[in-house]
Amino acid sequence: MKLLASLVLCALSLLGSGCAGVRVQPPLPLPAVFSDASFAPPASPVGPQQLFVISPAMRAYIDSPEFTALIRKLGPERGLVEALYTKGELKLEYDASVTRNAAETFDARMGNCLSLVLMTSAFAKHLGLEVQYQDVMIDETWTRNAGLYFASTHVNLSMGKRRTVQPRGVPPDERMLTIDFLPPADSARFNAHTIEERMIEAMYMNNRAAEALADMHLDQAYWWARAAVVHLPTFSTPYNTLGVIYQRHGDHPLAERAFKAALTLEPESTISMHNLVPVLAKLGKTQESQALAARLAKLEPTPPYHWFHQAMKALAEARYDQARELLHKEVRRAPFNHEFHFWLAIAHWRLGEGTAARDELALALDNSTTHAATERYSAKLAYLRSQIGNRQRAY
């Protein structure tokens, strides 16, 4: 049984983002989707309070002569970009493994796109700049972790000097400098819509819940998902996350309620539908489960990882040519998924196609989203290259 969850990470590298500008009534009274007594109280505060806090280390960086000189020379917007993202002193790196707040991202010198947005926003606010957040309309990117399937979306931000009166004939967004953690050529081809800071905060809390869930810290996951629902009751994603938490906790009636709440807000969410189907079956609601499964099959006949699982079976049965073709299908629709490239490399290698295996493994490395994956693929690529070299010498 697959459980589907969502994050807001980045396309560079978990649940689809709703629009904070749309206001509808919460689908259920809040107590109806909560079960506080079922989970141990959180060991530390849960909420958005620390997201944009400037730490002493960040303040020391702001006050440094180098930072001050950049701001004076380039202005606050471009000076901030130069200071943070041009391979200077900070050497910030993209890493999708953990969603951090602003101070944690600064200390770690790495983060996913949401973490980098939070840190950049904290610096921009400190400099007196206006900040605007965008949900970038890219296709969801799917990854796996601990038996969970995560759909990643992407956010960025714009910043500029505050103006009480807009200059005549200048559109509002032209006075803002957009910072995106996709390459410029990639980010330019996607549409985006503005979202409120409250949505960014809810996305952060949902990410924390999903990451705790992947680590099987169900109590921690529950409180983060609960906080996200309370913070923005019209955002469907945390209801789905809450449902997955209940499902893994064995609370199927509550899982049903949470998934249906998500579907009330986002009726076409195939993620929540997929999660709800087995819950309904577990509760003995066979006809409802089958009807929803039939609707889901029409909406999404080849769900994420559909061909991948067929390919894994083919690999296990030594049907390497079939595995190669199935994995090619996954790569065509998800070219940035490092796992697909890795297993395609395995299929090529089993077929004696060493050069193709090397090229796919290099793509897996290029698209890896965590330091652990990068190190693993680097080691495997070095080994593969040595094996190809040994074969060539033997010939």
Side-chain angles (χ1 to χ4, degrees):
M1 178 179 63
K2 293 196 295 185
L3 298 178
L4 305 188
S6 300
L7 289 172
V8 181
L9 296 177
C10 260
L12 286 180
S13 36
L14 182 20
L15 301 196
S17 307
C19 176
V22 178
R23 285 287 175 259
V24 298
Q25 290 300 312
L28 292 170
L30 293 183
V33 293
F34 297 150
S35 183
D36 295 0
S38 301
F39 299 90
S44 56
V46 170
Q49 295 82 2
Q50 298 298 313
L51 288 194
F52 302 101
V53 172
I54 296 288
S55 66
M58 294 169 72
R59 188 173 295 278
Y61 182 68
I62 292 169
D63 293 338
S64 68
E66 295 82 6
F67 186 89
T68 303
L70 274 175
I71 299 301
R72 187 181 301 115
K73 177 183 177 181
L74 301 175
E77 303 99 319
R78 298 194 178 278
L80 180 57
V81 173
E82 181 76 16
L84 297 181
Y85 300 114
T86 56
K87 298 294 183 183
E89 179 186 344
L90 285 185
K91 296 182 180 178
L92 286 165
E93 297 180 16
Y94 180 86
D95 179 62
S97 57
V98 181
T99 304
R100 301 175 173 92
N101 63 29
E104 292 166 342
T105 303
F106 182 83
D107 289 342
R109 300 296 198 265
M110 66 180 65
N112 58 37
C113 69
L114 184 55
S115 302
L116 296 171
V117 161
L118 292 170
M119 187 196 69
T120 306
S121 176
F123 276 118
K125 290 178 179 181
H126 183 83
L127 295 173
L129 297 174
E130 181 181 348
V131 175
Q132 176 178 291
Y133 308 96
Q134 287 86 222
D135 182 11
V136 184
M137 309 305 289
I138 64 169
D139 292 334
E140 291 174 335
T141 303
W142 287 88
T143 54
R144 300 188 305 162
N145 186 11
L148 291 167
Y149 293 73
F150 295 99
S152 305
T153 56
H154 179 64
V155 294
N156 64 23
L157 84 162
S158 299
M159 59 186 183
K161 296 178 182 178
R162 298 182 185 277
R163 289 177 178 164
T164 55
V165 179
Q166 182 64 30
R168 228 173 159 186
V170 178
D173 56 354
E174 287 193 6
R175 64 187 175 86
M176 306 287 279
L177 176 65
T178 298
I179 303 176
D180 200 298
F181 310 104
L182 284 169
D186 291 336
S187 60
R189 39 188 196 93
F190 297 114
N191 293 322
H193 67 260
T194 302
I195 56 177
E196 299 173 7
E197 186 166 277
R198 194 170 189 82
M199 173 65 84
I200 289 288
E201 293 166 345
M203 288 174 169
Y204 168 84
M205 289 183 278
N206 179 73
N207 275 25
R208 291 295 304 269
E211 290 160 359
L213 178 61
D215 291 334
M216 285 303 293
H217 298 152
L218 296 185
D219 295 322
Q220 183 180 348
Y222 170 77
W223 292 106
W224 278 110
R226 185 192 193 281
V229 169
V230 170
H231 194 70
L232 192 59
T234 55
F235 183 26
S236 67
T237 295
Y239 292 92
N240 180 75
T241 304
L242 200 56
V244 176
I245 294 164
Y246 287 138
Q247 195 170 3
R248 286 214 158 180
H249 201 251
D251 300 327
H252 293 95
L254 283 165
E256 176 191 13
R257 202 175 296 173
F259 291 139
K260 286 185 174 179
L263 285 167
T264 300
L265 284 168
E266 193 177 345
E268 297 298 303
S269 171
T270 55
I271 292 175
S272 297
M273 288 182 198
H274 186 105
N275 290 330
L276 181 56
V277 166
V279 169
L280 292 171
K282 187 80 172 179
L283 293 172
K285 300 181 179 183
T286 306
Q287 289 186 339
E288 188 179 354
S289 176
Q290 291 174 344
L292 184 60
R295 182 183 173 207
L296 180 58
K298 289 181 179 179
L299 289 171
E300 192 176 57
T302 54
Y305 284 82
H306 174 78
W307 294 304
F308 175 82
H309 292 298
Q310 294 180 18
M312 292 300 98
K313 188 173 187 296
L315 281 173
E317 297 171 355
R319 292 183 284 113
Y320 303 127
D321 55 343
Q322 293 178 30
R324 178 186 58 193
E325 296 312 309
L326 289 163
L327 286 163
H328 269 301
K329 288 185 177 182
E330 288 289 15
V331 165
R332 279 195 292 270
R333 73 172 176 179
F336 302 112
N337 187 309
H338 59 89
E339 189 176 18
F340 296 159
H341 288 291
F342 170 75
W343 287 105
L344 182 53
I346 297 297
H348 280 302
W349 183 253
R350 296 295 186 190
L351 288 165
E353 299 165 352
T355 301
R358 180 200 61 199
D359 293 345
E360 287 299 326
L361 194 51
L363 286 169
L365 176 61
D366 289 344
N367 289 286
S368 61
T369 57
T370 67
H371 280 284
T374 297
E375 291 177 0
R376 182 167 66 251
Y377 293 144
S378 294
K380 290 181 182 297
L381 185 59
Y383 172 79
L384 190 62
R385 284 170 172 161
S386 70
Q387 293 302 302
I388 292 173
N390 289 338
R391 285 185 180 182
Q392 291 172 339
R393 284 191 291 274
Y395 293 145

